[in-house]
Amino acid sequence: AAKTQERNTYRLYSPIMQADARKRLALAAELRQALARGEFRLVFQPSVDMRNGKVVAVEALLRWRHPARGEVSPGEFIPMAEKLGLIRHVDDWVLQAVARQMRQWDEEGMPPIRVAVNISAASYGAPHFAEEVRRWLVAERVAPQRLLLEITEGAILRLGDEMERTMNALHALGVGVAIDDFGTGYSSMAYLKLPAIAFLKIDKSFVDGLPGSSHDAAIVEAMLALSKRLGLCAIAEGIETEAQHEFLLRAGCTEGQGYLYARALEVPEIERMLRPGQRPGSARLRLV
Ligand code: C2E
Ligand code: MG
Ligand code: MG
Ligand code: MG
């Protein structure tokens, strides 16, 4: 313990930490301007039917290209936006951008696939969130059934009554919700009864150990059994190897995402992949 403490004390005053803190402060200031300056864009990671390799959905993932620093990871700027109270603006921008992209794809004759969007707790907790979602869908004439909103377990539990109200409003609207990173938060399971919840995304941390780890195998099998009994659709995240793919498929998982199939792709790349009659970029992918 003394050693840890010593290390912490050292870290607290280290010049590296000070530089880190300075960098974070500067980044926070720049994050406020990033939206207005058009530095955000969306990339899209395919989700495939593991039985036949067809792309059945895409997940929108946010990217920030800082003019001087280059690409900043969402793992860094999303928590920052949450802390600074900017995440509502970010989520709103993402929703609008996704709805607009979906309409554009419709006009270009792309297959009407599902699009998943990551939304933070603060947005789900905001009083008119479902109404804002409805507004963007109506503005771009997108069917609500084609939008899937992702929420992490931790986010669900941090919110109380507003969460249930929002979930029910989304359900009434016809928008489905997926539990993201399932199994990594403080699972209470009670929220699985909410009618809006339609998908469970099995976190990459459980997929990583497949097929070798008997613990991960047992956990994943239990999650698949649970989703089946509840009538939910399971999506496995972070599939990187053939062995993981084979295990999951045999265990009854039919939808997956991961580098084995495709990384998050820029808009022209995803369009090339989705356009009818195109050849798949990866041997694993077959086209709709
Ligand atoms: P997430 O929603 O769980 O997204 C999955 C992350 O894992 C993505 O990272 C994706 O690129 C990465 N990934 C997918 N397949 C693989 C794989 O096979 N191997 C490995 N190593 N990684 C894989 P990304 O894009 O850096 O996003 C990180 C997190 O940031 C997301 O986790 C999500 O929680 C958050 N995020 C991303 N975009 C948004 C957004 O628009 N709004 C909000 N609120 N959060 C976002
Ligand atoms: Mg996600
Ligand atoms: Mg996830
Ligand atoms: Mg995850």
Side-chain angles (χ1 to χ4, degrees):
K3 209 170 173 181
T4 328
Q5 222 171 335
E6 222 171 74
R7 195 160 51 224
N8 286 343
T9 311
Y10 162 75
R11 284 180 62 88
L12 201 60
Y13 295 110
S14 85
I16 293 170
M17 280 293 280
Q18 279 177 19
D20 250 33
R22 256 201 314 274
K23 185 190 161 200
R24 269 203 308 276
L25 266 176
L27 215 54
E30 288 153 358
L31 189 54
R32 293 176 199 280
Q33 298 159 354
L35 271 174
R37 292 184 180 168
E39 292 166 8
F40 283 137
R41 73 183 190 288
L42 293 174
V43 292
F44 295 88
Q45 185 181 32
S47 193
V48 310
D49 182 333
M50 296 169 64
R51 293 164 299 188
N52 54 29
K54 278 187 182 165
V55 177
V56 290
V58 290
E59 177 176 1
L61 294 162
L62 191 57
R63 294 292 178 263
W64 177 19
R65 187 179 288 137
H66 187 283
R69 299 172 204 271
E71 296 284 342
V72 185
S73 150
E76 190 171 356
F77 72 80
I78 294 288
M80 198 176 273
E82 287 172 341
K83 262 184 242 124
L84 294 168
L86 296 172
I87 196 69
R88 294 277 296 115
H89 300 292
V90 173
D91 284 350
D92 200 50
W93 183 90
V94 170
L95 276 169
Q96 179 187 17
V98 160
R100 192 183 297 150
Q101 184 64 76
M102 288 172 88
R103 192 211 355 111
Q104 217 168 305
W105 282 339
D106 285 349
E107 287 170 1
E108 289 165 15
M110 301 288 189
I113 55 166
R114 193 177 75 229
V115 180
V117 181
N118 295 282
I119 298 290
S120 295
S123 295
Y124 285 103
H128 303 296
F129 176 67
E131 178 51 30
E132 283 158 27
V133 172
R134 197 190 67 86
R135 255 200 1 245
W136 290 130
L137 291 172
V138 168
E140 305 293 346
R141 298 186 300 280
V142 172
Q145 289 72 21
R146 284 174 52 205
L147 184 69
L148 183 68
L149 301 182
E150 299 193 0
I151 183 169
T152 61
E153 258 175 342
I156 289 201
L157 297 176
R158 246 177 295 141
L159 297 161
D161 294 346
E162 313 102 75
M163 168 58 56
E164 198 162 338
R165 232 175 294 135
T166 298
M167 288 294 154
N168 291 335
L170 288 171
H171 184 62
L173 184 60
V175 172
V177 176
I179 310 290
D180 202 357
D181 303 342
F182 184 65
T184 61
Y186 301 89
S187 317
S188 92
M189 303 266 176
Y191 60 79
L192 293 179
K193 294 190 288 187
L194 291 168
I197 307 298
F199 288 80
L200 289 188
K201 297 190 75 173
I202 299 172
D203 191 61
K204 177 179 183 303
S205 58
F206 304 109
V207 172
D208 282 343
L210 301 178
S213 154
S214 58
H215 285 93
D216 285 340
I219 292 169
V220 166
E221 280 165 355
M223 286 177 174
L224 289 169
L226 180 67
S227 5
K228 194 170 176 189
R229 282 298 303 274
L230 291 171
L232 306 175
C233 180
I235 304 176
E237 293 188 316
I239 303 169
E240 294 181 346
T241 69
E242 284 292 338
Q244 291 166 348
H245 168 93
E246 288 307 325
F247 179 94
L248 285 160
L249 198 55
R250 253 199 307 272
C253 187
T254 55
E255 191 171 332
Q257 253 181 309
Y259 293 171
L260 178 66
Y261 316 106
R263 292 182 180 245
L265 303 170
E266 301 289 340
V267 170
E269 296 176 292
I270 198 85
E271 288 180 350
R272 222 171 299 134
M273 182 173 277
L274 294 177
R275 196 163 284 132
Q278 292 300 299
R279 303 190 68 76
S282 141
R284 270 254 151 256
L285 291 178
R286 218 147 302 147
L287 294 174
V288 266

